[in-house]
Amino acid sequence: GLATTGSLTASLSFGYDPLSAAYSETLPITLWNNSGSPITYNLAGASIVSLSSASVTVPAGGSATVDATASLDAAALAAEPTTSVLLGGVLWGGVRSRAGAIVATPTTSGDGIYSLRIQFVAVPRALSNVTAGTRSAYTVANGIATATVPLANNGIHKGYADVYAWGLSDPKDLPSTARATDDIRAVGVQSLPTEAVTGIPDPSDRGLIFAVNTWGRWSSGSSSEFDIAIYGANKHKPDFYVVGVDYGAVTTGDFDGRMASFVFDKNNNLVDAWVADAPANGSTVLLPLLASDIGQTTNNAAFTYAITGFSVEDGTLVDAVAGQAAFSVKKPAVSTGDFIGLAPDASANLLLTVNKGKLAAYPVKGWMVVTLDDANGEAQADLVPIGKP
């Protein structure tokens, strides 16, 4: 005897399922009998998979089909870890999956009669749904404008609202048929105390994180490369590059599926490297570095940046985002770095501040509210336009 699945393969692939409710998916298993006598099998599911019958008799020279159902209730999904690598979710470059085997054990013995094992894998992902509402009117005092924006999570999973200065945007302009995972939608940057990146305080430095949100969805973040050019006084020749790319490709020449944040100087010398946050089956990558990595250590440190995305799988897919964005490292024009955890059905008000003097010199589009556990694509980065402070 032998067993096949609906696609006539030897294993069950339930695939990737982003979920806002309890999970349930059913696939068929067909048992075949090439002998001249019927064979009865006792069936045992495993892990999250149950079967439509505990036993099945396969007629001589025939087949019989049973259904295998993978399921998780809403409570189990809500308890799933975050997808964020840096917050302790799935291991660097790994995929959160459920796997095991269904076993069909024959009740009789004989030539060609033996136990059958049908491997299965399922990739359910519980979604948060953190949304940013309409910004309130500004209140201005001493050159600082303040406002609030309501945040709410109506997903089934906890989400973390992570705030960036929104600098660049780009339309959906690569072929969707090519599953263009490097089709950039929005880019932002935040400035943090150094210990938020390194764990070690250093008042003379700052931690920086770039957020790159894409229109598509990748299986592995390292299927794309994102090159962020850093400009100082000369806005035509970059001084540094922050590159989100596969760690193994740079360090050994062999791809290993782990996304890293590399800093190179203008002569392509490696300055520093960091673990990037690019969850599997995601749409947003976070690229950390230190301000000192790009020579920005003074009290008035500032730079402009531009970005280009590349597909590692298809060299014809290149997304060069138009324009440059500006950022003041130690005194950003807008508030950044807020990090708010929102349980399902929770809400909060995010305080926004604008330094009007800095905004004139370092204009931004507004704020990016990034939530890696939200649905793929634009949902992972809510954009809050700055308007007129």
Side-chain angles (χ1 to χ4, degrees):
L2 58 89
T4 61
T5 65
S7 55
L8 295 181
T9 61
S11 61
L12 287 170
S13 177
F14 289 97
Y16 167 68
D17 291 283
L19 302 162
S20 299
Y23 170 57
S24 181
E25 185 176 1
T26 299
L27 295 175
I29 299 171
T30 301
L31 303 178
W32 302 84
N33 178 7
N34 296 323
S35 74
S37 302
I39 304 173
T40 298
Y41 292 93
N42 291 329
L43 304 173
S47 181
I48 66 170
V49 175
S50 61
L51 302 167
S52 59
S53 177
S55 68
V56 63
T57 299
V58 187
S63 65
T65 298
V66 295
D67 288 333
T69 299
S71 60
L72 283 169
D73 62 25
L77 286 169
E80 289 279 289
T82 175
T83 61
S84 168
V85 175
L86 298 180
L87 291 180
V90 183
L91 293 174
W92 188 14
V95 177
R96 173 70 173 173
S97 62
R98 304 297 184 98
I102 296 159
V103 179
T105 305
T107 60
T108 57
S109 60
D111 291 342
I113 301 175
Y114 42 81
S115 294
L116 304 173
R117 289 175 60 85
I118 303 97
Q119 304 263 352
F120 69 83
V121 63
V123 187
R125 180 163 82 88
L127 297 177
S128 58
N129 186 29
V130 175
T131 57
T134 302
R135 174 186 51 77
S136 71
Y138 287 107
T139 300
V140 181
N142 300 319
I144 303 297
T146 60
T148 59
V149 63
L151 304 177
N153 178 16
N154 62 9
I156 63 171
H157 193 274
K158 185 174 184 178
Y160 297 88
D162 190 13
V163 182
Y164 296 76
W166 171 26
L168 295 170
S169 291
D170 198 48
K172 188 184 295 184
D173 52 9
L174 294 182
S176 59
T177 54
R179 199 170 62 85
T181 59
D182 61 314
D183 196 350
I184 296 166
R185 173 178 173 262
V187 186
V189 62
Q190 64 181 202
S191 178
L192 302 164
T194 310
E195 56 265 31
V197 173
T198 66
I200 302 172
D202 183 355
S204 67
D205 208 347
R206 294 290 288 177
L208 300 175
I209 301 178
F210 283 97
V212 182
N213 173 239
T214 68
W215 293 100
R217 173 181 71 86
W218 53 66
S219 295
S220 169
S222 60
S223 64
S224 296
E225 176 182 331
F226 299 101
D227 292 3
I228 301 174
I230 306 296
Y231 300 86
N234 188 335
K235 300 301 185 289
H236 301 286
K237 293 184 178 181
D239 294 328
F240 296 90
Y241 289 91
V242 179
V243 180
V245 68
D246 186 274
Y247 178 78
V250 174
T251 58
T252 69
D254 293 321
F255 283 79
D256 62 16
R258 299 182 294 173
M259 194 75 160
S261 175
F262 292 96
V263 180
F264 296 93
D265 67 16
K266 60 185 178 183
N267 297 315
N268 293 322
N269 297 308
L270 179 61
V271 176
D272 212 341
W274 304 84
V275 174
D277 210 345
N281 294 310
S283 301
T284 304
V285 58
L286 307 182
L287 302 175
L289 65 149
L290 290 177
S292 57
D293 290 341
I294 55 173
Q296 299 291 337
T297 57
T298 68
N299 287 334
N300 296 318
F303 60 88
T304 60
Y305 63 93
I307 187 170
T308 303
F310 303 88
S311 170
V312 172
E313 299 170 340
D314 185 344
T316 67
L317 299 176
V318 178
D319 194 14
V321 176
Q324 296 181 14
F327 189 73
S328 176
V329 173
K330 296 188 176 181
K331 298 177 181 178
V334 299
S335 51
T336 74
D338 293 278
F339 193 77
I340 301 173
L342 292 166
D345 298 321
S347 60
N349 281 323
L350 171 65
L351 177 65
L352 306 175
T353 63
V354 181
N355 184 321
K356 298 185 68 173
K358 287 291 183 180
L359 184 64
Y362 307 103
V364 299
K365 293 178 179 293
W367 295 266
M368 278 177 68
V369 182
V370 172
T371 307
L372 296 180
D373 287 297
D374 276 9
N376 294 114
E378 57 192 300
Q380 289 185 6
D382 283 34
L383 303 177
V384 181
I386 194 168
K388 185 175 181 180

